[in-house]
Structure formats: C-alpha cells, structure tokens
Amino acid sequence: GPNEHQLPSVPVRKRVAIFLWKLATGIEYRTISHISGVGLSTVFNCVQDFCDSVIKVLLPQHITTPDAAKLVEIATFFHNRWRIPQCVGAIDGSHIPIIAPEEYPQDYFNRKGWHSIILQGVVDGRGLFWDVCVGYAGSVHDAQRECVMSAKAVTFMGATK
C-alpha cells in the first residue's frame, strides 16, 4: 500500500487489527491507542494507511466501470429479470453522520438537520456494485453530485437509441 507514514515498528497484523477495531466499533482513536499500546497519531496513521491501501489496491479490483459489452449485458439482465428496459444501474445514496468540521461546517449540514458526508452507490440488476462515490458534503443536492453513473448512463442510453 501507499504507507506514506512508514510505521515499521508496528507489525502488519497489529495495524490491521487497529483498523478493524476502529471500523467495527467506531470507538475513539484515544481508546484504541490505550488498548493497543501505541500512540494516538500511530493509531490514526494505521487507520488512514489502511483506508488508502483499500482505495488504491482493492477498490479498482472490485468496483469497475463496465465497458460497452458489460453495459449491454447489464441492461439485458435488468430487462429480463426486472422488466425495466435500457437500465444499467440502480442508484441510491445515504448520509453518513460526522462531527462538524471546523472549516465550513454549514456545507456538511444536510436537509435532515445534522452534519454528514454522502455515500452513493450504483448496482447492476444482481445487486453488485459497479460505482461507489463517497465524500460529498451533506448539503450537496442529488442533482449536483457528479459520480461515474451520470456520464456512463447517458453514454449508454445514447448508444442504444
């Protein structure tokens, strides 16, 4: 992975354990630092490095934009299974609660009345993800988010007319 912070003193197994503990419990970095016996900044760097590695290594292997042939296959499945013609993806999003950032907290204040970032995903007719987009501020409206889906769907629809 990217390992920008270089944590050679922390074994890989322990770094993974720190990340999984954070992911599974949402517990504070300070508590994980105390439990694991490593410094607070080391815990933060372990979590950050693991996330960076997942994004760099695993995401491209498992979430890929379909090529033209795959889009036709997805559309055929949608039509045959769900009776929806010319559909290549079901899209939805969710607000992930966050603590308001110090800079521009109003940007993250969503229409539901709390601070969030937005997670948006696109699945094929079998429910398998082919696009994931995360990080937009909670106040950003659906129509303003520019993830892969908008451009690809238009291209696909245009090609099949």
Side-chain angles (χ1 to χ4, degrees):
N3 240 359
E4 296 171 12
H5 304 104
Q6 296 301 321
L7 303 168
S9 61
V10 182
V12 173
R13 290 174 68 102
K14 191 167 195 171
R15 285 186 252 168
V16 172
I18 288 169
F19 170 77
L20 291 175
W21 193 268
K22 176 64 177 165
L23 187 70
T25 65
I27 199 167
E28 290 184 353
Y29 289 109
R30 179 178 24 246
T31 305
I32 296 172
S33 170
H34 181 72
I35 292 169
S36 64
V38 299
L40 185 61
S41 62
T42 301
V43 171
F44 177 82
N45 290 338
C46 286
V47 172
Q48 193 63 52
D49 288 348
F50 199 95
C51 289
D52 291 344
S53 295
V54 166
I55 290 167
K56 183 177 180 183
V57 178
L58 296 178
L59 186 65
Q61 290 178 17
H62 298 283
I63 308 290
T64 57
T65 304
D67 59 15
K70 184 68 175 173
L71 289 172
V72 170
E73 179 189 318
I74 292 170
T76 302
F77 186 89
F78 258 109
H79 185 83
N80 293 340
R81 174 65 176 88
W82 303 107
R83 299 289 175 233
I84 304 172
Q86 294 189 334
C87 180
V88 295
I91 186 170
D92 200 5
S94 183
H95 286 269
I96 309 299
I98 62 166
I99 295 170
E102 289 184 21
E103 287 190 35
Y104 310 109
Q106 68 280 4
D107 290 353
Y108 294 84
F109 197 74
N110 65 38
R111 60 184 165 74
K112 300 175 183 201
W114 38 278
H115 294 89
S116 66
I117 58 170
I118 300 168
L119 167 67
Q120 177 180 290
V122 182
V123 296
D124 65 14
R126 292 176 173 88
L128 301 175
F129 284 90
W130 66 259
D131 186 38
V132 175
C133 182
V134 66
Y136 277 96
S139 67
V140 178
H141 188 270
D142 292 356
Q144 294 174 303
R145 293 197 297 270
E146 293 181 21
C147 295
V148 171
M149 181 57 182
S150 55
K152 295 299 175 188
V154 170
T155 303
F156 179 73
M157 298 307 176
T160 58
K161 287 181 182 172

